[in-house]
């Protein structure tokens, strides 16, 4: 089992920045990838980006590419999401997730077995 805990959410004005953290514990050595997803009220959960844990290779959705950056601290099993140039449409609950699987596409929520509880990000206009 892998336990994930997000932190760092809050209220920020449009154009501002926030950094989210996702701390992992448990059987973390088996994680192949970790990802960020988000869910706005009344909407489906949306892929934000993922990082391959061993290589730190990253991939982002088109809506955040160039504004958001995922990084990781391998020693502490912590993943980060640096969010810059935030927009009101970025308002959502942000979730981190971990996958132990070998997948061709890590951009879908069904590929992840472990999830955090989520942290609220609100961007005011």
């Amino acid at each position: 089992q892998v336990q994930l805990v997000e932190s760092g959410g809050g209220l920020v004005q449009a154009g501002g920045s926030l950094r989210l953290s996702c701390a992992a514990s448990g059987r973390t050595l088996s994680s192949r990838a970790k990802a960020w997803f988000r869910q706005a009220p009344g909407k489906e959960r949306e892929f934000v980006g993922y990082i391959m844990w061993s290589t730190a290779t990253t991939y982002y959705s088109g809506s955040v590419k160039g504004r958001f950056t995922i990084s990781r601290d391998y020693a502490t099993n912590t993943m980060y999401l640096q969010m810059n140039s935030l927009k009101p449409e970025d308002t959502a609950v942000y979730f981190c997730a971990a996958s132990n699987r070998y997948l061709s596409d890590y951009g879908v929520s069904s590929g992840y077995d472990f999830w955090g509880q989520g942290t609220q990000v609100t961007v005011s206009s």
Side-chain angles (χ1 to χ4, degrees):
Q1 290 288 342
V2 176
Q3 293 79 44
L4 303 172
V5 178
E6 303 97 337
S7 61
L11 173 64
V12 64
Q13 288 189 332
S17 299
L18 277 177
R19 189 174 84 150
L20 305 184
S21 299
C22 173
S25 60
R27 297 185 63 180
T28 57
L29 291 179
S30 58
S31 292
R32 286 192 49 78
K34 291 189 174 74
W36 291 97
F37 289 80
R38 65 187 183 184
Q39 189 165 18
K43 294 189 176 181
E44 297 285 321
R45 189 166 294 190
E46 176 190 16
F47 168 72
V48 173
Y50 68 75
I51 186 166
M52 300 305 297
W53 205 245
S54 61
T55 64
T57 301
T58 55
Y59 182 83
Y60 302 93
S61 72
S63 61
V64 307
K65 191 174 183 179
R67 299 188 298 122
F68 291 11
T69 302
I70 297 174
S71 61
R72 59 107 165 99
D73 184 327
Y74 194 86
T76 62
N77 289 310
T78 303
M79 177 175 63
Y80 302 97
L81 179 65
Q82 177 66 44
M83 303 184 292
N84 299 328
S85 302
L86 282 161
K87 305 174 182 180
E89 51 264 43
D90 294 318
T91 295
V93 177
Y94 283 71
F95 299 89
C96 65
S99 176
N100 299 341
R101 309 184 200 182
Y102 288 80
L103 301 173
S104 59
D105 182 5
Y106 285 98
V108 291
S109 60
S110 58
Y112 294 84
D113 298 306
F114 306 102
W115 292 82
Q117 81 289 349
T119 186
Q120 176 70 46
V121 171
T122 302
V123 184
S124 63
S125 57

